[in-house]
Amino acid sequence: MDLLGVAHQLHEADRTRLEQVREFLQARIRRQSIEFWNREEFPAGLVRELADAGLAGVQLDGSSHLLRGLLHAEISRADVSLSSIVGIHNELIVGMIDALGSAEQRESWLPKLTMFQAFGAFALTEPDHGSDIAGGIHTTATREGDEYVINGAKRWIGMGTIADFALVWAKCPESGAVGAFLVESDRPGYSATKIENKIGLRIMQNADISMENVRIPVENKLPGAVNFASANALLMQSRAWVGWQAVGAMLATLDICTAYAKDRQQFGQPIASFQLVQQSLAEIAGNATACLSMMMDIARKQERGELEMVDAALAKSTATRLARQTVSLGRALLGGNGVVTDHEMAKFFCDVEILHTYEGTYEINSLIVGRALTGVSAFV
Ligand SMILES: Cc1cc2nc3c(=O)[nH]c(=O)nc-3n(C[C@H](O)[C@H](O)[C@H](O)COP(=O)(O)OP(=O)(O)OC[C@H]3O[C@@H](n4cnc5c(N)ncnc54)[C@H](O)[C@@H]3O)c2cc1C
């Protein structure tokens, strides 16, 4: 089912690429990811295959915003954790070095990053500052001669235990100015500890990062990251990307539930023949279609360079709210089988919880929309 005839809105070459990537993800990633998710393990082999499919560098390969969004949705439709790895890598690591890095930083890191031969981690959130991080950065970068000395702690950092470096947002203690620093993970004083027992995105290795007198050369500062607004410009785009992840999770729910309803027999007939089951399927399809349509409009705004924070916040909060409702319907539709990951629905059910919270919680994104609607800020 091609909801909204999306494929026909792409040029032929893009349509072919989308179809090829979808086939690859469904054949090589979807079912294979389950055991890694159960074990909270990083699937190096699957990540390599994603690179071979060209997905590590989709940010810079000239793809349109619409194609990129649809590709991210297809990755999420196969596995949400892997879509987070690919998405954050493209939006906040490759995208950040490309937009805010120096010529030397671009030259030394982008060729490796866009092949998944190197990994970065985006390190903004701190143990005591999440929603209020914009004004709450405690990590410091103190200039000493030709070096910066970094001190502080970061929490929840995706790929933290695997990445070759972290892009650390820190504050100059004297001026209070915020900047971003490329901190290699093998520098003395740097340590990353995996956060265990997450209920969602279990493949994504999130970490607590501690930095004690970590010395980096001054060249490791990203010259384009001159204040928190530099982070905000990137976070606006990546916030919108979460909307595509939510669309992918809803499309997966539709795939899983439609197949299950036709197969599962109760009262001597497929549960697909029951009106209430069909109503659930219609609601799942309706939520997925509404969000897909909204995200296509967001992509058009991005193409025109007209995306604003309120658009990204509205898209992220609405898509994740409807995704939460959708996976809940899907989980119930599978009955008992909806709570075991073998049947996939439970995995999507849990992963959507993270989409609801990261890249600005549902509540904070709603408040950004509320501020735009009323002119009154309820949170600063
Ligand atoms: C799996 C996962 C991966 C992540 N990956 C990364 C990463 O790679 N890099 C990174 O830097 N960060 C990452 N994060 C951090 C994420 O962005 C934060 O968790 C998120 O911004 C919320 O911060 P917090 O967890 O500190 O919650 P808090 O800010 O403590 O919020 C707690 C609750 O209070 C509510 N709240 C707070 N302030 C207000 C207010 N003014 N009005 C109404 N409600 C309010 C929130 O909505 C929430 O419900 C990740 C988080 C998770 C869970």
Side-chain angles (χ1 to χ4, degrees):
M1 184 172 170
D2 177 15
L3 298 170
L4 300 172
V6 172
H8 294 287
Q9 303 197 32
L10 295 170
H11 299 299
E12 198 182 333
D14 287 356
R15 193 158 63 232
T16 306
R17 174 148 189 233
L18 184 66
E19 280 162 11
Q20 284 170 346
V21 168
R22 179 188 300 137
E23 276 168 27
F24 150 72
L25 291 163
Q26 291 295 315
R28 298 286 317 149
I29 302 292
R30 205 187 95 213
R31 296 288 315 171
Q32 291 80 346
S33 65
I34 297 173
E35 272 311 306
F36 290 98
W37 193 97
N38 289 342
R39 296 196 299 264
E40 282 191 287
E41 195 179 307
F42 181 71
L46 298 189
V47 171
R48 171 101 324 274
E49 290 195 46
L50 291 167
D52 292 343
L55 297 169
V58 75
Q59 190 80 4
L60 299 184
D61 70 2
S63 298
S64 66
H65 281 279
L66 180 58
L67 177 61
R68 241 153 69 187
L70 290 167
L71 288 170
H72 285 304
E74 288 296 342
I75 306 170
S76 179
R77 187 181 192 170
D79 178 70
V80 184
S81 300
L82 284 164
S83 108
S84 292
I85 290 171
V86 173
I88 293 171
H89 173 84
N90 273 286
E91 296 280 334
L92 292 176
I93 305 298
V94 170
M96 183 164 157
I97 291 180
D98 184 56
L100 307 179
S102 64
E104 294 74 34
Q105 288 162 350
R106 284 199 292 274
E107 223 167 88
S108 57
W109 288 106
L110 290 180
K112 285 182 265 177
L113 287 168
T114 52
M115 297 298 292
F116 271 150
Q117 286 164 356
F119 296 98
F122 182 80
L124 176 62
T125 305
E126 302 192 353
D128 295 329
H129 293 283
S131 300
D132 65 355
I133 191 66
I137 292 180
H138 270 210
T139 300
T140 55
T142 310
R143 177 95 187 234
E144 281 185 16
D146 290 343
E147 292 180 322
Y148 283 104
V149 183
I150 314 279
N151 277 291
K154 296 285 177 182
R155 180 155 169 81
W156 288 118
I157 308 312
M159 297 293 282
T161 52
I162 288 170
D164 300 277
F165 63 85
L167 296 177
V168 175
W169 289 86
K171 199 184 226 176
C172 165
E174 278 132 34
S175 68
V178 169
F181 302 82
L182 193 153
V183 183
E184 293 91 345
S185 49
D186 56 3
R187 298 247 171 216
Y190 182 102
S191 69
T193 310
K194 178 175 168 176
I195 298 174
E196 310 265 5
N197 305 325
K198 303 203 308 283
I199 64 156
L201 290 200
R202 286 169 62 83
I203 283 176
M204 167 64 100
Q205 309 291 302
N206 291 94
D208 277 308
I209 290 180
S210 153
M211 288 161 289
E212 278 181 41
N213 295 320
V214 179
R215 291 183 170 272
I216 55 167
V218 284
E219 295 78 40
N220 279 24
K221 186 176 194 297
L222 274 72
V226 288
N227 50 33
F228 195 80
S230 326
N232 250 345
L234 290 156
L235 290 171
M236 176 177 80
Q237 301 293 337
S238 63
R239 202 159 263 181
W241 154 76
V242 181
W244 285 111
Q245 286 197 287
V247 167
M250 288 187 264
L251 292 174
T253 305
L254 187 58
D255 297 339
I256 295 163
C257 291
T258 310
Y260 191 85
K262 288 198 263 184
D263 184 57
R264 175 74 176 168
Q265 303 263 335
Q266 287 296 293
F267 299 95
Q269 48 194 316
I271 62 167
S273 65
F274 302 132
Q275 291 177 344
L276 293 179
V277 170
Q278 291 199 7
Q279 182 183 33
S280 287
L281 290 173
E283 285 184 24
I284 291 167
N287 285 351
T289 309
C291 292
L292 183 55
S293 175
M294 176 177 69
M295 290 312 300
M296 286 165 63
D297 273 341
I298 291 284
R300 287 187 197 103
K301 281 199 172 193
Q302 287 172 311
E303 301 290 359
R304 297 193 300 267
E306 289 174 4
L307 188 76
E308 293 182 22
M309 189 57 100
V310 61
D311 303 315
L314 184 67
K316 198 264 179 184
S317 58
T318 304
T320 57
R321 172 171 57 82
L322 292 179
R324 223 182 184 193
Q325 193 188 84
T326 303
V327 293
S328 174
L329 285 167
R331 202 221 56 70
L333 194 146
L334 265 68
N337 286 334
V339 304
V340 282
T341 55
D342 318 41
H343 288 268
E344 297 179 80
M345 204 50 248
K347 182 165 161 275
F348 285 98
F349 180 82
C350 293
D351 285 339
V352 163
E353 283 303 298
I354 312 293
L355 304 189
H356 203 256
T357 287
Y358 79 173
E359 298 270 352
T361 64
Y362 172 74
E363 292 77 16
I364 293 296
N365 278 298
S366 300
L367 294 180
I368 291 171
V369 177
R371 181 177 61 189
L373 291 173
T374 63
V376 181
S377 175
F379 64 106
V380 275

